[in-house]
Amino acid sequence: MKSIFYLICICILISCSNSKNTSEFIKTVEGRYLFNSNETLEVYFFEDVLKINWRDKNMTPVKANDSSFYLKEMNEKLIFISTPEAHIELAEKREHEGEKFYFTKLTAGEKTALEYFKNKEYTKSLNAYKALQKKDSLDPTIQEWGLNRTGYKYLKANEFEKAKAIFKINIALYPEKSNVYDSMGDAFKKENDTLKAIEYYEKSIAINPENRNSVKNLKKLKKGIEK
């Protein structure tokens, strides 16, 4: 008897997974969603069957009903909500009981802060990072040390444009921190722009007179000018 029951369940599941979606549903849910601050998942359709691209993997969720799909790779049931704004919710389960997880849908052409940066749209990237900070000041994406470390990676590779763009973002997010100006000073120093390096080292010292790196480099640069 149990075997028959399981067989019926499997048949129903297969039937649901192969069932096509309505044109209205497709139009509403198709697009990109924020998985986290710097990561997206893309919902698209092939022959009216829902597909998801996530972390460079193309996946086919199993359809549970007209708005719910089980995604094996996440071990989660995704619920598509169309109103008042389109988004995806995770169905509650024991692992995250009492918690709500949802992925907001990006507007056409909208990118994450990191995507804007990689596309060299630095002003849009800066604004996106500031929006993240306003929404959640503890978001790991905007941690000062993390952005600073990324900037120095670019600096080490002599990618000055990218390094300065990251340091500029850090300055905008943490204008009260001495270290963000010190880092920008290092970028200009390595680029051999002495006057700009001096400008930022002085800003760093104005906030923290004991910033050793800024004090040391400022002294060297000014001495070099005087010669």
Side-chain angles (χ1 to χ4, degrees):
M1 190 69 180
K2 284 185 178 180
S3 299
I4 296 174
F5 174 75
Y6 289 138
L7 183 61
I8 292 172
C9 288
I10 291 171
C11 290
I12 292 173
L13 199 59
I14 292 173
S15 174
C16 287
S17 65
N18 292 330
S19 62
K20 294 184 178 181
N21 298 283
T22 66
S23 57
E24 183 180 355
F25 178 78
I26 292 172
K27 183 179 179 181
T28 300
V29 307
E30 195 168 35
R32 297 202 311 148
Y33 295 77
L34 275 178
F35 181 74
N36 57 43
S37 300
N38 268 338
E39 191 177 1
T40 63
L41 57 84
E42 181 183 5
V43 174
Y44 66 101
F45 291 81
F46 179 73
E47 296 182 349
D48 296 338
V49 176
L50 187 143
K51 303 281 185 177
I52 289 180
N53 182 282
W54 180 57
R55 295 180 176 174
D56 296 324
K57 292 180 181 178
N58 291 304
M59 301 165 285
T60 304
V62 176
K63 187 172 184 178
N65 57 45
D66 286 343
S67 61
S68 301
F69 297 77
Y70 174 73
L71 187 57
K72 179 182 67 176
E73 289 79 359
M74 287 185 183
N75 190 27
E76 298 284 357
K77 183 179 179 182
L78 310 182
I79 305 172
F80 288 85
I81 310 295
S82 57
T83 57
E85 294 181 340
H87 65 280
I88 300 172
E89 291 183 2
L90 295 185
E92 285 195 26
K93 65 178 188 178
R94 186 173 58 186
E95 287 83 344
H96 49 75
E97 187 176 356
E99 295 183 84
K100 288 284 187 181
F101 292 95
Y102 62 93
F103 311 136
T104 57
K105 187 178 181 182
L106 296 173
T107 59
E110 185 180 1
K111 301 181 181 72
T112 67
L114 182 60
E115 286 173 333
Y116 281 128
F117 186 87
K118 288 182 176 179
N119 205 39
K120 295 187 177 181
E121 298 177 82
Y122 297 131
T123 299
K124 289 183 178 180
S125 179
L126 170 59
N127 291 334
Y129 275 113
K130 289 170 72 175
L132 285 175
Q133 186 185 51
K134 185 176 181 180
K135 182 180 179 181
D136 180 8
S137 61
L138 298 179
D139 190 313
T141 301
I142 59 167
Q143 289 179 331
E144 179 196 346
W145 66 269
L147 292 170
N148 202 55
R149 183 175 61 182
T150 299
Y152 275 104
K153 285 182 180 179
Y154 288 130
L155 194 56
K156 186 177 181 180
N158 291 327
E159 296 185 67
F160 299 115
E161 181 186 37
K162 291 181 179 179
K164 290 189 293 183
I166 281 288
F167 293 145
K168 184 178 179 180
I169 289 169
N170 232 4
I171 288 171
L173 296 178
Y174 305 100
E176 76 288 354
K177 297 293 184 70
S178 169
N179 190 55
V180 296
Y181 299 98
D182 177 74
S183 297
M184 184 68 92
D186 284 347
F188 281 114
K189 177 176 175 285
K190 189 170 184 181
E191 201 177 20
N192 295 316
D193 190 336
T194 301
L195 294 180
K196 293 297 290 185
I198 287 174
E199 176 187 336
Y200 279 93
Y201 286 137
E202 286 179 337
K203 289 180 178 181
S204 172
I205 293 171
I207 296 172
N208 178 17
E210 296 182 4
N211 188 311
R212 294 181 180 179
N213 186 68
S214 290
V215 171
K216 179 184 69 176
N217 283 306
L218 184 61
K219 185 177 180 180
K220 286 183 179 179
L221 292 176
K222 284 190 172 181
K223 188 175 181 180
I225 291 175
E226 292 170 358
K227 286 183 178 180

